[in-house]
Amino acid sequence: MDEIISVSRAGHTRVLVRSRGFLGSPQLAAGTLAYVEWQRDQMPWDSTRLVLADIRSDIVGPSRVVAGGLGESAVQPSWGPDGLLYFISDRTGWWNLYRLRDGVVEPVAPIDADCAPAPWEGGYQSYGFAADGTIVLTVMNGFTIELLAVDADGGRRQVGSNLTSVKPYVTVDGGLLAVVGSTASSPPAIWSVDLAARTDAQAFPVGKASEFPVPWTPIPPSVETIAGPGGPVRFLLHLPPGDTRPGPLLVRAHPGPTDDVPLRLDWVTQYFVSHGFTVAEVLYRGSTGQGRAFRQSLHAHWGTYDVDDCAAVAEHLLTLGQATPGEVFISGASAGGYTALQAACRPGPFVAATAISAIIDPALWELSVPAFQRPHAAALRGPAGAVKPEWVRCPVLVIHGSADTITSAEEAMHFAEELAGRGGEHDSLLLEGGDHYLSAPLAREQALRAELDFYRGIMSRLPA
């Protein structure tokens, strides 16, 4: 049972809303409470309801649904300075910004693009209000996240165009916009934009700019598109500096599935690029930022469509001569680890795989995840099923933290032991105290070194 409660200054509490489903994003203005509700068998990026309730008296008035429902995700409600309720909905297939005026929902800035990410966390704010009536919102395409300013008269202009990625925590104070943003060659930092600069509203770092802890300047990747088995497949291609010869290729499956591939400096990618690897980051089916249909395309096909897309990218780069046969690897963490393991169960093009904090059996994982995430696990699960050691056709490196509370270290190490018992070049690394994200610097360093050594070992045994 979820509840929304009020707390008085004296510390007295009162239940305003109670639901057998999930509740989120409570927003109060002038005695009217707006909130989001969704059922226990749904995810908030699939089906939610945006509800209003009158709480001006001691008795909470009847609630009414103003947007959302089965097949529509309405998220991020916020009361604007004009007293109207704003929210983001994917009723057209794209998460766009709307407002409620006189009981009628009207679009604010219709666009064939997502203006919000999948709501994995509470507190996302993908738009903000300036003092002059301008609304700033994010616009995503799976790689880049731009900032669009919509003037009071409906005019549109891009601001902060020097940023390539922005986190969903947009803040506007008067005419000053603040975001956590990044560029293709710089990590996330706080940036500000003066919205009064009408012609060239560039973003500027707040405080001292980040310095690179490496003796080279990262090269921005190119955005590539190929014809895949289920339609166009897009990916970021990172080339090692100063070397035009084909070399080892590492395909990275992001830890989604409802994630994206942000165009920003990523030190894990740079680690392998600096050691001569070409790295491809694949925006496989099921990723966010490309509309509702693409986001749901992996439902009941997890472990199949995502692997198809990653393999298609690897085969394309081999055909172009941008990778060396026998030196093509795949790596993934969490859900991406499951993708990497399923890829290892297929013949080619990958000669080895690394699974970090991986899901191994989606059915068992579905039983262990929090109630919030259970419908997502159920929707994704398809005929690919659990990864069986006897199905694995190439060397696999299993890396897991012992303190992982999201995926089972015990299951991962048991899987690794079974692999090792079958012979071959399989390996494993259990990081004591490591969490799901390997967020401790030492754990991350040990994992990176182990992964690089694993690939080098494979390559050292190739024929000259």
Side-chain angles (χ1 to χ4, degrees), residues 23 44 78 93 121 128 131 173 187 192 249 305 323 326 341 352 360 380 389 405 422:
L23 299 170
S78 183
E121 301 171 350
D173 184 7
S192 66
L249 168 67
Y305 287 177
L341 288 174
I360 296 171
L380 288 171
T405 59
R422 301 183 66 84

Side-chain angles (χ1 to χ4, degrees), residues 173-185:
D173 184 7
L176 190 65
L177 168 70
V179 296
V180 178
S182 50
T183 73
S185 56

Side-chain angles (χ1 to χ4, degrees), residues 334 357 359 365 368-370 373 400 403-408 436-437:
S334 194
S357 307
I359 296 161
W365 180 66
S368 66
V369 296
Q373 195 175 353
H400 221 100
D404 191 334
T405 59
I406 297 176
T407 56
S408 170
H436 185 69
Y437 307 99

Side-chain angles (χ1 to χ4, degrees), residues 93 290-298:
Q290 295 192 98
R292 183 183 184 91
F294 191 86
R295 190 171 67 246
Q296 293 186 336
S297 61
L298 199 61

Side-chain angles (χ1 to χ4, degrees), residues 36-38 43-50 67-69 72-75:
V36 171
E37 180 181 26
W38 65 99
M43 297 303 296
W45 50 81
D46 290 331
S47 298
T48 62
R49 303 189 310 161
L50 178 57
E72 178 185 352
S73 171
V75 296

Side-chain angles (χ1 to χ4, degrees), residues 19 27-28 32 90 131 161 163 169 182 201 224 283 287 300 327 334 339 356-357 363 379 383 396 400 413 433 435 445:
S19 172
Q27 299 288 323
L28 179 63
T32 302
D90 69 349
S161 59
L163 297 177
Y169 304 106
S182 50
E224 307 288 338
L283 198 68
S287 304
E327 297 183 355
S334 194
T339 302
I356 305 167
S357 307
V396 168
H400 221 100
M413 290 301 105
D435 61 14
E445 178 185 354

Side-chain angles (χ1 to χ4, degrees), residues 51-127:
V51 186
L52 294 182
D54 187 349
I55 62 168
R56 277 173 284 200
S57 64
D58 290 338
I59 300 175
V60 178
S63 62
R64 59 190 178 98
V65 178
V66 296
L70 190 64
E72 178 185 352
S73 171
V75 296
Q76 296 190 28
S78 183
W79 295 99
D82 53 8
L84 301 179
L85 178 65
Y86 290 74
F87 61 94
I88 290 177
S89 166
D90 69 349
R91 57 179 54 194
T92 66
W94 303 97
W95 269 316
N96 278 192
L97 184 63
Y98 295 84
R99 63 183 158 224
L100 184 68
R101 188 195 299 271
D102 298 327
V104 178
V105 173
E106 61 182 33
V108 175
I111 186 172
D112 288 345
D114 279 337
C115 298
W120 273 105
E121 301 171 350
Y124 283 173
Q125 190 66 31
S126 297
Y127 60 96

